[in-house]
Amino acid sequence: DADVTQTPRNRITKTGKRIMLECSQTKGHDRMYWYRQDPGLGLRLIYYSFDVKDINKGEISDGYSVSRQAQAKFSLSLESAIPNQTALYFCATSDGTAKNIQYFGAGTRLSVL
Amino acid sequence: AQTVTQSQPEMSVQEAETVTLSCTYDTSESDYYLFWYKQPPSRQMILVIRQEAYKQQNATENRFSVNFQKAAKSFSLKISDSQLGDAAMYFCAYRNAGGTSYGKLTFGQGTILTVHP
């Protein structure tokens, strides 16, 4: 089983709909991240959380919200989806050590029509 | 803020040959980490290699090696004896070693590598 699991793998939705992307991990890491990937832009950080009570905005948080339900679960919500939120979304985790390597899920491809 | 630039949107190489992917970055920090991630068609992000800025020795992982030039803020990836399975999008990434942005990765735009048989 994957250490970092994202659901759904693919999703098509309509403008204005609320949608939640979920991420769970079995690595026991405290730190979790949400990124979006767009062609020609690489991955950009949306939100990150260093523990259950810690939530921080990344560089492109507008239009998104997150919830850290437990150490192992970190959800990303689009309250009212718009077409320019069509992208590939990644969840990642890391420990707090100096090595601090990030491990990624398989991504969720979201299309907003 | 840190920035990472990959100036080669696409590269190609013949199987068994060597290819170098370029990456430059901008930072005012002296202590940081640099990474190369591989993203095959499966979309999975796979860590290829990691370099600590305080280490002068270039990192190597089997057929993958880096040329880290700290003064020039350059971090290129060399793939030797290229294989068909190396075909993927490659991302260069930067992370501070401390401070308020500790733990966050800044990515480059990516380079698509095609391997010809």
Side-chain angles (χ1 to χ4, degrees), chain B residues 45-100:
Chain B
M45 294 286 286
I46 302 165
L47 179 64
V48 175
I49 200 165
R50 170 176 169 269
Q51 174 80 43
E52 294 96 333
Y54 63 86
K55 288 187 176 180
Q56 292 187 340
Q57 186 174 5
N58 290 323
T60 62
E61 287 288 342
N62 301 313
R63 297 181 296 106
F64 298 86
S65 62
V66 299
N67 183 4
F68 173 48
Q69 301 289 329
K70 190 172 184 179
K73 297 181 182 176
S74 171
F75 182 61
S76 61
L77 175 69
K78 186 172 80 171
I79 306 174
S80 303
D81 185 25
S82 296
Q83 300 175 0
L84 295 177
D86 295 333
M89 173 84 83
Y90 286 81
F91 290 100
C92 178
Y94 166 101
R95 175 173 67 78
N96 280 339
T100 57

Side-chain angles (χ1 to χ4, degrees), chain A residues 9 88 106 109, chain B residues 38-44 84-89:
Chain A
R9 183 159 174 81
L88 183 55
R109 184 168 298 283
Chain B
K38 171 185 177 182
Q39 185 181 49
S42 67
R43 302 186 331 210
Q44 186 69 52
L84 295 177
D86 295 333
M89 173 84 83

